[in-house]
Amino acid sequence: MNIITNKNVVKLFLSHFERGNVNKLLDMMSDDATWWVNGKPHLFAFAGLKTKAEMGSVFDALFASFDGGLTMELKSSIGEGDMVAVEASSYGVTKGGKHYQNDYHLLFVLHDMKIVEVREYTDPMHAVEVLG
């Protein structure tokens, strides 16, 4: 796959957050995909390494917190080989009326137009403060 195709796959993937479409997110991941989030799992439930199946539950819980989806703004991306590095920002309003706005660095690894690995760096303290 070429770098432009990989970047387009990632852009499409991020667009599914706005609609809260868990099935489309999962469909874009390989069966053995993993997702790692920075932070200490005992302090931040989303932190650590998760399988695709576990991410389905994470996405369900995440989208259940919001009144609508979570806008993911792609600020920049660079690609090399099967990797795409992304700088992004999110915005959403929780069902309790709190505003969630976080920044991310995401590293995607792709194979045959499927996401096989995501490494997410974000502000876990903001997520805990807003999402609990």
Side-chain angles (χ1 to χ4, degrees), residues 36-87:
W36 175 88
V37 178
N38 69 300
K40 306 293 183 206
H42 68 283
L43 298 174
F44 178 48
F46 294 113
L49 185 67
K50 304 218 176 2
T51 65
K52 176 182 176 176
E54 291 168 325
M55 284 309 296
S57 298
V58 169
F59 291 144
D60 284 337
L62 177 68
F63 295 131
S65 300
F66 288 97
D67 189 17
L70 181 65
T71 301
M72 292 292 284
E73 177 189 353
L74 177 62
K75 293 184 169 194
S76 66
S77 65
I78 59 172
E80 182 176 327
D82 351 349
M83 294 185 290
V84 176
V86 168
E87 179 185 18

Side-chain angles (χ1 to χ4, degrees), residues 2 17 22 27 30 32 40 42 45 47 51 58-60 62 64 68-69 87 91 102 106 108 122-123 125 127:
N2 69 41
F17 278 85
V22 174
D27 285 346
S30 68
D32 60 346
K40 306 293 183 206
H42 68 283
T51 65
V58 169
F59 291 144
D60 284 337
L62 177 68
E87 179 185 18
Y91 179 77
N102 216 333
L106 300 153
F108 292 88
T122 190
D123 179 358
M125 296 309 297

Side-chain angles (χ1 to χ4, degrees), residues 19-37:
R19 293 177 285 287
N21 197 324
V22 174
N23 290 331
K24 286 194 177 183
L25 287 166
L26 294 175
D27 285 346
M28 294 188 72
M29 298 171 70
S30 68
D31 290 339
D32 60 346
T34 59
W35 192 301
W36 175 88
V37 178

Side-chain angles (χ1 to χ4, degrees), residues 86-100:
V86 168
E87 179 185 18
S89 293
S90 65
Y91 179 77
V93 178
T94 68
K95 290 182 178 173
K98 292 182 180 179
H99 293 259
Y100 181 76

